[in-house]
Every structure is written in C-alpha cells, then in structure tokens.
Amino acid sequence: MASGSTTPIAATARAEASPLPGLIKDAGLFALVTLGLCVPIVSYRTDLGQGIGLVITSRWGTVFALCAAIFVLRFLQQLYLGGRDRRRAARAPIAVVEGASRLGAILAPITLGIALTLPLLAALGAGSLGEGRYWIDLGILILTYVMLGWGLNIVVGLAGLLDLGYVAFYAVGAYSYALLSTVFGLSFWVCLPMAGLFAAAFGVLLGFPVLRLRGDYLAIVTLAFGEIIRLVLINWTDFSGGSAGISSIPRVSFFGLPFTAGESGFAATFGLAFNPMHRLVFLYYLILVLALVTNLVTLRMRRLPLGRAWEALREDEIACRSLGIDTTITKLTAFALGAMFAGFAGSFFAVRQAFVSPESFNFLESAIILAIVVLGGMGSQIGVAIAAIVMVGGPELLRNLGFLKAVFGEGFDPNEYRLLLFGLAMVAMMVFRPRGLISERTPSVTIAERGR
Amino acid sequence: MEFFAQQFINGLTLGSIYGLIAIGYTMVFGIIGMVNFAHGDVFMVSAFIALIAFLILTTWLGLSSVALVFLIVLVVAMVLTALWGWAIERVAYRPLRGSFRLAPLISAIGVSIFLSNFVQVVQGARNKPVPPLVRDVIVLYQNEQYTVTLSYKQAIIMVTTAVLLAGFWYLVQKTPFGRAQRAVEQDRRMAALLGINVDRTISLTFVLGAALAAVAGTLYLLYYGVVSFSDGFVPGVKAFTAAVLGGIGSLPGAVIGGIIIGLIETFWSAYFSIEYKDVAAFLILIVVLIFKPSGILGRPEVEKV
C-alpha cells in the first residue's frame, strides 16, 4: 500500500528504479503477512465433535493457496499501478471524470429499459410467465435495494450525513403496514402513505437531538438508534409479536381488486385467465414505480434551493452556516425524506413477504444498503442502481454457475462469501476510488470557471 | 446488600473487559480522529485465536498447568492480534489519510463486515464452547440466604487488567514511544517536523490497541467460555460507549467508562430486565453523545475552519 500514500511522481520514480526484484520482494512480504494472519484462524478449523468439546482439523493447504493468491495479486497490482501512474502523469485528471459520467449516461437508459420490460423478458426467456418467476422475484429483490439505496443516498450522498441506522426506518415502515393491516384491517393503499409518514416522523424524532453532532458521532448514534428499535421489536412481545414477528399480513390488491380466482378478482374483472403470477408482476411494477418516484424526487430536489443546501452542507458545514443556511432544518429534511422512502420500501417489503420479524432489520442490512450507496459513488443515482444490481443480483447469479462448484468443491455457496466480499469492496472502494465506481458525485451547480 | 455486592463484583469484571477494548477506541480516536469501527471485530478475532491456541495446547500438547496455558494463550493472542491490527491499519486506513471526512469510518465498517464474515467462513457459524479453565471460587461472605463469591476467573480478569493497564500507562507516560504518540496526537505536522516517524507511531498505536483487545478477547473467552463470529459487534459498541462516556481520547477515561458501563449493565440486568440490557448501553451512548460529547474526562472539542 506504500504507493497509495506517495505521490504519483514518487511512485513512478520508484517503480522505474526497482523493477522485478523489488516487486517480488514486496509481494513476498505481503504473502508473509498473510501467512501470519492466517495462523491459527485459518490453518486450524474448530468444529463441534461427537462428544463435548471442539475438534480441530488443520488446513495448511488452504493457507498456502491463500498466500500464493495474495502474492500474485499484489505482484500484478504493483505492475499495473506502476504503469498507471506513469500514464496518469501524462493526462489531466478531468478527462477521467468526463469519461466516467459518460458511462453513466449510456448505462442509465439501458438499465431503465431492462427494468421496464423485465417481466416480458423473463416470460419470453423462460417460456412462460410462471417459469420466469425466479427472475421476477430477483428483480423485486434488487429493486427493493435500489429504492433503499436511493433513499439512503439522499441522506448520505447528498446531505453527507452518515446514517448507520437506516434500516430502522425500513422496519418502522414494515411494522406500520403489518400492524395497521392486521389490527385495524386497513388496506395497503391506505397504509403505504401512512407508513411513509410514520417513518418520516421517526426520522424527525431522531434527527432533532442528534443532528448537531459531528459526522462520525452522528453515525454511531444512528447505529445505536437502529439497534434500539430492533431490540424493542424483539422484546416488546405484546406490541410487535417479539422475535416470532407478525405473520399472515394481507396481500396486495390491485387498487382494491384482490388477486384471486373468484368473481370479483383482478383477472375476472379484466377478462383475463387467472394466473397467480399477476400479483407478482404487479408487485414488480409497484416497487419499480416506488423506486422511480424516489429517484424523481431526488433529482427534482437537487434543483431546489433545499437540495442545493444539502450538497453545500455535504461539502462544508461551517461555510454553510456562515452563509446563513439553517443547518438544522436542512439536515432534518434530508433525514425525514430519506426515512420516508425507507418507510415506503418497508411497507412494500411487508406486503410482499406477508411476514415481518426483527431478524430482517439488523445492522447488517443497514451496512448492505450503505455499501450499495458507497460503491455506487455517493450521490450518483445510476451508480447506486448498478451497485444494487451487482451486489444483490451478483451472488444470486454466482450460485447457479456450475463451474464454481467444480473448482471449489460441492459444498461451495457463493452467498457465504457475499458479505465478506461486500466488506472488502467497501475498503477497496475507499482506498482506490472514493468518489464512486460508475459515476462521480458532482455538485449539481458549479461556477463555470471550476469546470475547466 | 449481599446481592448488590455480588453484582458489583460481576459488573467490575465485565467493566474490566470493556475498559481494555475501550482503550483501543480512545487511542485511535485520539491520534487520528477516527472511530475504528472494526475494533470490536478485532476483539472477536482475538478471542478465536485464543480459543484455537487453547485447544492446541490442551488437546494436542497435553499441557495441564493452568497458569502456563493461560500465559501462553494470552501472549499468542496478543502477538497475532497485534499483527491483524497492524495489517488493517496498513491496508484499510493508511491510504485514506487526506481523503474525505467519512472515508476512514466507511472503510472501517467494511473491515468490520469483512472480519466477522471471514471468521464465519473459516470457522463456521456455530457457537464455540471451551471447557472452563478454572472453576474455583473464593467465598467472601456467607449467611443463611446468600453467598457472595469472587470466582478465580473474576480474580484473574481483574488482576490481569490491572497489571496490563499499569504497564500500558508506563508505556504511554514514560517511554519515548509514549511521548511520540502524545506529540502526534497534539499536532501531527509539528511532530513530523521534529523528527517523529508519524506513520510508525500511528501503526504502533493500532498494534497496541489490538494487543489490548486481544487481552480482552482472551479474558472474555475465559469468563464466558463461548465465542461466535458475531460476538464482536455488541461488545464493540459497548466499549465505544465506554470510551465516549469516559471522554474520548482520554486513557484513564476509557477505563473508568468501561467500568461504569460494566456496572450499569450488570445492575440493569439484575434489578430491571435482562432483555433490555443492550438497550441500556445504547441509550447511555445516545444520551452522552447528545448532552456531554466530551465525556467525563475529555476535553471539549473546538471546531476549526
């Protein structure tokens, strides 16, 4: 990592001065450290044996394979970095920015096109709508995360407030619908806006006391808040059903028409043959519309004075205050708006699953959503969408690839490695491309001279 | 009263462990101003290292001397966890100096997710129990209804904590490294101009923090006799609460904060409800951060342009 802290010029000079032996020595050092880190946590696996106590088995083969992999990776990385720094020195950095946003501009309509026609594509690809079910389910899952990512993007990407308890608002939305529908028998379409409002209210409630805190303290307090919500949901059994959760939540209806085979059902009313897939396709378009609304609101907000104030706040809070921007109101609106979208997504989650439990709203979920926002390049809409597709859809696709099983053995499950890779990707992102993978986060307005 | 005394002893034990972890948070925050979110998971990794070292010593090598086993496990865990601390700083935090404000925290969250899932992948998701190393208790007070005891485990934990803290205190206050560390904490650029190797000092801070977390991890394993891959998060947050409560950046503050958190948690569980004991810790964190972010012994922070 030495090259990360030195200037490109110094790195170039060093790469030229010490070619191969230096690189091998450096990579060897990395492999050696890896070896040290793997002892004993990788080299000896503990398992519960037949009797009492643990049984240990040694796995030095894995350790040496890991060390060799690190050696090769580091070697290639240094080779590449040496070349890249030399190329960089000859090129203005602004060109990179333009190239990146052009990529975003190409990807956006393609992604949207695929998203709009996914049920059709799935039906055509798999033969019938029923057989395309897997793809539509996956699409719903990805879009839920896209929506959550866009919602959190308002808070983290635009306003620059690191929120580690975002999943709390998601939980508030889910439980609002679950409770309102099971206890009071309210319909989904009444509960959806209410869930958003409840979540927004929670956002304001949390926001008021904590928003004067500095960045990382704010992050920790939001984390604590998210955990408190989860612990209360687990322990307050009378209210939330405890860790068993709430089940048999009413299903979604087509604006009042239920998706049933009966006379008054959706299919009969429109003269279609009954197909259980109708509900799924409807759910797919519902989350797509919700996500697109989130996106649209965000894009419009960025043009309003309030949205500009968010971005200004992200860049420099003290300057903002000096210019007379009310930082409390500005932060609070970002918080409330982000929370509201999480509330919508939450009630969608509840209506899709027909079951909610505190399990679904742990810190890891917050971390995944945050990872999506970070990897998408905080503030970039298309970046967040692509990151959600890659991070949620990617492991699902990997699971079905047969050759991975052939390489790593029959018991290989890529989902096990999903979060491990999430973590690594977050670190790598901060180290190598802190401004985002797909797109750069650029201010909505810039003074003309700065763009040159 | 007897019940209270017993809970006091239990709380003190728990507080010692939190205090040891909290020092890692407070030192790192003091020197580079970042919340090392992964520290709780470093603590968890150290407990696993201690677990495996313990199993190798007792089942493969057949060592039976309790003191010897404990010492070897402690040293092995400290050395290997220190290596983890060093490597994490080197790979995930050092390249980020001068990056935007939240970059180190996000990177640390990444490390935290990586570590817990790494351990889950390589060691499995099940809880790992170990046979108790020592079972004896010292009876401090006894009447018809109630016995107040101090178990050997608790005594070992308190004594180890006290001895290590004394050594650590000496290191920070009296040695050239300690002086360098305090200098870097006050003004990094000035310290560099005066010939202090800033990178090395920061590295060593992480190494020391990780080593103390390893002590906490070993003691945790000794005390509870079980560890799992997800055991880093909650103790980590509680230790961070301790660091904030004591005044982040202040070493004695971290220990005092740890003991207070340990006591509050124990008394809360004993007198109110055990289900909400984690809520208590999180509430303290929120309340302290909102009303007195400088903590008990910390200096108020001045925001500079």
Side-chain angles (χ1 to χ4, degrees), chain B residues 25 42 81 86 106 111-112 119 139 157 166 191 239 261 280-281:
Chain B
Y25 279 108
V42 170
T81 313
W86 178 83
I106 293 171
V111 173
S112 163
V119 171
V139 176
I157 289 170
I261 293 287

Short mmCIF file of all heavy atoms in Angstrom, two decimals, chain B residues 25 42 81 86 106 111-112 119 139 157 166 191 239 261 280-281:
data_model
loop_
_atom_site.label_atom_id
_atom_site.label_comp_id
_atom_site.label_asym_id
_atom_site.label_seq_id
_atom_site.Cartn_x
_atom_site.Cartn_y
_atom_site.Cartn_z
N TYR B 25 -10.22 2.03 21.17
CA TYR B 25 -11.01 3.07 20.51
C TYR B 25 -10.46 4.45 20.81
O TYR B 25 -10.28 5.29 19.93
CB TYR B 25 -12.46 3.02 21.01
CG TYR B 25 -13.32 1.97 20.38
CD1 TYR B 25 -13.72 0.85 21.07
CD2 TYR B 25 -13.76 2.12 19.06
CE1 TYR B 25 -14.53 -0.11 20.49
CE2 TYR B 25 -14.56 1.17 18.48
CZ TYR B 25 -14.95 0.06 19.20
OH TYR B 25 -15.74 -0.89 18.62
N VAL B 42 -11.94 -6.97 15.80
CA VAL B 42 -10.57 -7.38 16.11
C VAL B 42 -10.57 -8.15 17.45
O VAL B 42 -9.93 -9.19 17.59
CB VAL B 42 -9.64 -6.15 16.19
CG1 VAL B 42 -8.29 -6.52 16.75
CG2 VAL B 42 -9.48 -5.53 14.82
N THR B 81 -2.94 -10.98 17.22
CA THR B 81 -3.94 -9.93 17.02
C THR B 81 -3.26 -8.60 16.71
O THR B 81 -3.78 -7.82 15.91
CB THR B 81 -4.82 -9.80 18.27
OG1 THR B 81 -5.23 -11.09 18.66
CG2 THR B 81 -6.03 -8.96 17.98
N TRP B 86 -2.03 -4.26 12.89
CA TRP B 86 -1.06 -3.59 12.03
C TRP B 86 -1.50 -3.68 10.58
O TRP B 86 -1.49 -2.67 9.84
CB TRP B 86 0.32 -4.25 12.22
CG TRP B 86 1.37 -3.66 11.36
CD1 TRP B 86 2.10 -2.55 11.61
CD2 TRP B 86 1.82 -4.18 10.09
NE1 TRP B 86 2.97 -2.32 10.58
CE2 TRP B 86 2.81 -3.30 9.63
CE3 TRP B 86 1.46 -5.27 9.31
CZ2 TRP B 86 3.46 -3.49 8.42
CZ3 TRP B 86 2.11 -5.46 8.10
CH2 TRP B 86 3.10 -4.59 7.67
N ILE B 106 -16.13 4.67 6.85
CA ILE B 106 -16.76 3.72 5.91
C ILE B 106 -15.82 2.53 5.69
O ILE B 106 -16.24 1.37 5.69
CB ILE B 106 -17.10 4.43 4.60
CG1 ILE B 106 -18.20 5.45 4.84
CG2 ILE B 106 -17.54 3.43 3.54
CD1 ILE B 106 -18.48 6.36 3.68
N VAL B 111 -14.12 -3.13 6.97
CA VAL B 111 -13.24 -4.07 7.66
C VAL B 111 -14.03 -4.90 8.66
O VAL B 111 -13.85 -6.12 8.79
CB VAL B 111 -12.09 -3.32 8.37
CG1 VAL B 111 -11.27 -4.27 9.21
CG2 VAL B 111 -11.21 -2.63 7.36
N SER B 112 -14.95 -4.21 9.37
CA SER B 112 -15.75 -4.90 10.37
C SER B 112 -16.60 -6.01 9.74
O SER B 112 -16.62 -7.14 10.22
CB SER B 112 -16.63 -3.87 11.08
OG SER B 112 -17.66 -4.48 11.76
N VAL B 119 -14.37 -14.73 9.62
CA VAL B 119 -14.33 -15.74 10.69
C VAL B 119 -15.48 -16.73 10.53
O VAL B 119 -15.31 -17.93 10.74
CB VAL B 119 -14.36 -15.06 12.08
CG1 VAL B 119 -14.54 -16.07 13.18
CG2 VAL B 119 -13.08 -14.28 12.29
N VAL B 139 -15.04 -17.66 48.64
CA VAL B 139 -16.25 -17.17 49.31
C VAL B 139 -15.85 -15.96 50.15
O VAL B 139 -15.01 -16.05 51.04
CB VAL B 139 -16.89 -18.25 50.19
CG1 VAL B 139 -18.07 -17.68 50.95
CG2 VAL B 139 -17.32 -19.43 49.33
N ILE B 157 -9.22 -12.02 35.84
CA ILE B 157 -9.55 -10.93 34.91
C ILE B 157 -9.16 -9.59 35.50
O ILE B 157 -8.50 -8.76 34.85
CB ILE B 157 -11.06 -10.97 34.57
CG1 ILE B 157 -11.34 -12.18 33.68
CG2 ILE B 157 -11.50 -9.69 33.87
CD1 ILE B 157 -12.80 -12.46 33.47
N ALA B 166 -1.30 -0.97 34.15
CA ALA B 166 -0.15 -0.31 34.77
C ALA B 166 1.01 -0.27 33.77
O ALA B 166 1.64 0.78 33.56
CB ALA B 166 0.24 -1.05 36.04
N ALA B 191 4.91 17.33 14.88
CA ALA B 191 5.64 16.14 15.34
C ALA B 191 6.53 15.62 14.22
O ALA B 191 7.70 15.27 14.45
CB ALA B 191 4.66 15.06 15.78
N ALA B 239 -18.00 -0.96 24.29
CA ALA B 239 -16.69 -0.41 24.61
C ALA B 239 -16.56 0.99 24.03
O ALA B 239 -15.98 1.88 24.65
CB ALA B 239 -15.59 -1.31 24.08
N ILE B 261 -19.81 1.36 32.51
CA ILE B 261 -20.74 0.65 31.61
C ILE B 261 -20.96 -0.78 32.12
O ILE B 261 -22.09 -1.28 32.14
CB ILE B 261 -20.17 0.62 30.17
CG1 ILE B 261 -20.14 2.02 29.58
CG2 ILE B 261 -21.01 -0.32 29.29
CD1 ILE B 261 -21.47 2.57 29.21
N ALA B 280 -29.97 -0.47 27.32
CA ALA B 280 -29.39 0.44 28.31
C ALA B 280 -28.09 1.03 27.79
O ALA B 280 -27.88 2.24 27.81
CB ALA B 280 -29.15 -0.31 29.62
N ALA B 281 -27.21 0.15 27.26
CA ALA B 281 -25.91 0.63 26.78
C ALA B 281 -26.09 1.61 25.62
O ALA B 281 -25.45 2.66 25.58
CB ALA B 281 -25.07 -0.55 26.34
#
